[in-house]
Amino acid sequence: DRLATLVTRYRAEIAEPREHLALLRWQIAERHALDERTTMPGHVTTSAIVVSPDHASILLIDHKTIGRWLQPGGHYEPAASFSLSAAREAIEETAVHGLALHPWHRGTDIPFTIDSHDVPGKPARAEPDHAHHDLQYLFLADPSPPLIAQEDEVHAALWKPIAALAAIAPSAARRLSALAPA
């Protein structure tokens, strides 16, 4: 019910006209256990779009399995809010200090962006191709303290120029460009 409410509010208040989220809405209506990574054809993930206070830099990870730079995130694990799940992922994967939910969220748990995307299955787990319904939350953090990459899943964690976000999460990049400090 919490997810259904968030998705409804997101579509009414934030989504761009072409963000229908049809598969996610269908799975919610069918009462799929979207918090379980075994749920197919898709399930929920959470991720953290972490920017420096001046919006000049973004925190990215070099993901071992996927083989590319991404925002920190992973499969949803129960938390008091979806944003706390995203924050936990960012802290686990990078050891970022002073992580704070961006004021854009106005004290709500509505995602900054919802990105439903296809991911390849893992034959070793007998896992088919499926969808990740990624609830993306915007955070602020000071880029000066050192980062520590979680070696199990991450080759590296680095602050990169904010322009790098456009290739990774285009909807989030567009939305973030409207928030950049003057």
Side-chain angles (χ1 to χ4, degrees), residues 9 13-14 101-110:
R9 285 194 61 198
E13 299 171 23
I14 294 144
L101 197 58
H102 195 284
W104 176 90
H105 290 282
R106 300 176 307 277
T108 72
D109 201 36
I110 296 175

Short mmCIF file of all heavy atoms in Angstrom, two decimals, residues 9 13-14 101-110:
data_model
loop_
_atom_site.label_atom_id
_atom_site.label_comp_id
_atom_site.label_asym_id
_atom_site.label_seq_id
_atom_site.Cartn_x
_atom_site.Cartn_y
_atom_site.Cartn_z
N ARG A 9 1.19 9.25 -6.19
CA ARG A 9 1.59 10.64 -5.95
C ARG A 9 2.69 11.06 -6.92
O ARG A 9 2.66 12.18 -7.44
CB ARG A 9 2.05 10.84 -4.50
CG ARG A 9 0.88 10.87 -3.53
CD ARG A 9 1.26 11.37 -2.18
NE ARG A 9 1.77 12.74 -2.24
CZ ARG A 9 2.49 13.29 -1.26
NH1 ARG A 9 2.79 12.62 -0.18
NH2 ARG A 9 2.90 14.53 -1.38
N GLU A 13 2.23 14.23 -9.29
CA GLU A 13 2.94 15.45 -8.90
C GLU A 13 4.27 15.67 -9.60
O GLU A 13 4.72 16.82 -9.71
CB GLU A 13 3.19 15.43 -7.38
CG GLU A 13 1.93 15.38 -6.56
CD GLU A 13 2.20 15.15 -5.08
OE1 GLU A 13 3.32 15.44 -4.61
OE2 GLU A 13 1.27 14.67 -4.40
N ILE A 14 4.93 14.60 -10.07
CA ILE A 14 6.31 14.74 -10.51
C ILE A 14 6.58 14.19 -11.90
O ILE A 14 7.36 14.76 -12.67
CB ILE A 14 7.25 14.05 -9.49
CG1 ILE A 14 7.18 14.81 -8.17
CG2 ILE A 14 8.68 13.96 -9.98
CD1 ILE A 14 7.26 13.96 -6.99
N LEU A 101 19.06 13.74 3.03
CA LEU A 101 18.03 13.80 2.00
C LEU A 101 17.93 15.25 1.51
O LEU A 101 17.90 16.19 2.31
CB LEU A 101 16.70 13.31 2.57
CG LEU A 101 15.62 12.92 1.58
CD1 LEU A 101 16.08 11.81 0.64
CD2 LEU A 101 14.37 12.47 2.33
N HIS A 102 17.91 15.44 0.22
CA HIS A 102 17.86 16.77 -0.39
C HIS A 102 16.55 17.47 -0.03
O HIS A 102 15.49 16.82 0.04
CB HIS A 102 17.99 16.61 -1.91
CG HIS A 102 18.30 17.87 -2.64
ND1 HIS A 102 17.35 18.84 -2.88
CD2 HIS A 102 19.45 18.32 -3.20
CE1 HIS A 102 17.90 19.83 -3.56
NE2 HIS A 102 19.18 19.53 -3.78
N PRO A 103 16.58 18.79 0.17
CA PRO A 103 15.35 19.52 0.49
C PRO A 103 14.25 19.37 -0.57
O PRO A 103 13.07 19.59 -0.27
CB PRO A 103 15.80 20.99 0.58
CG PRO A 103 17.27 20.93 0.82
CD PRO A 103 17.77 19.65 0.20
N TRP A 104 14.61 19.00 -1.79
CA TRP A 104 13.61 18.79 -2.84
C TRP A 104 12.50 17.86 -2.35
O TRP A 104 11.34 18.03 -2.72
CB TRP A 104 14.27 18.19 -4.10
CG TRP A 104 13.29 17.87 -5.17
CD1 TRP A 104 12.87 18.69 -6.17
CD2 TRP A 104 12.53 16.65 -5.32
NE1 TRP A 104 11.92 18.07 -6.95
CE2 TRP A 104 11.70 16.81 -6.44
CE3 TRP A 104 12.50 15.45 -4.62
CZ2 TRP A 104 10.83 15.80 -6.88
CZ3 TRP A 104 11.64 14.45 -5.06
CH2 TRP A 104 10.82 14.64 -6.17
N HIS A 105 12.83 16.88 -1.53
CA HIS A 105 11.85 15.89 -1.07
C HIS A 105 10.81 16.47 -0.11
O HIS A 105 9.78 15.83 0.13
CB HIS A 105 12.55 14.69 -0.43
CG HIS A 105 13.29 13.86 -1.42
ND1 HIS A 105 12.68 12.96 -2.26
CD2 HIS A 105 14.62 13.80 -1.73
CE1 HIS A 105 13.57 12.37 -3.03
NE2 HIS A 105 14.75 12.87 -2.73
N ARG A 106 11.05 17.66 0.43
CA ARG A 106 10.10 18.35 1.31
C ARG A 106 9.54 17.45 2.42
O ARG A 106 8.35 17.48 2.72
CB ARG A 106 8.95 18.94 0.49
CG ARG A 106 9.37 19.95 -0.56
CD ARG A 106 8.22 20.44 -1.42
NE ARG A 106 7.43 19.41 -2.06
CZ ARG A 106 7.74 18.80 -3.22
NH1 ARG A 106 8.83 19.10 -3.85
NH2 ARG A 106 6.93 17.88 -3.72
N GLY A 107 10.40 16.63 2.98
CA GLY A 107 9.99 15.78 4.09
C GLY A 107 9.12 14.60 3.70
O GLY A 107 8.58 13.93 4.57
N THR A 108 8.98 14.34 2.40
CA THR A 108 8.17 13.19 1.96
C THR A 108 9.09 12.06 1.49
O THR A 108 10.29 12.25 1.33
CB THR A 108 7.24 13.57 0.78
OG1 THR A 108 8.02 13.75 -0.40
CG2 THR A 108 6.45 14.83 1.08
N ASP A 109 8.51 10.93 1.24
CA ASP A 109 9.27 9.78 0.73
C ASP A 109 9.01 9.57 -0.77
O ASP A 109 9.29 8.52 -1.30
CB ASP A 109 8.91 8.52 1.53
CG ASP A 109 9.97 7.43 1.42
OD1 ASP A 109 11.17 7.77 1.35
OD2 ASP A 109 9.60 6.24 1.38
N ILE A 110 8.47 10.58 -1.44
CA ILE A 110 8.23 10.46 -2.88
C ILE A 110 9.58 10.44 -3.60
O ILE A 110 10.44 11.29 -3.34
CB ILE A 110 7.36 11.62 -3.40
CG1 ILE A 110 5.98 11.56 -2.76
CG2 ILE A 110 7.25 11.57 -4.92
CD1 ILE A 110 5.10 12.72 -3.12
#
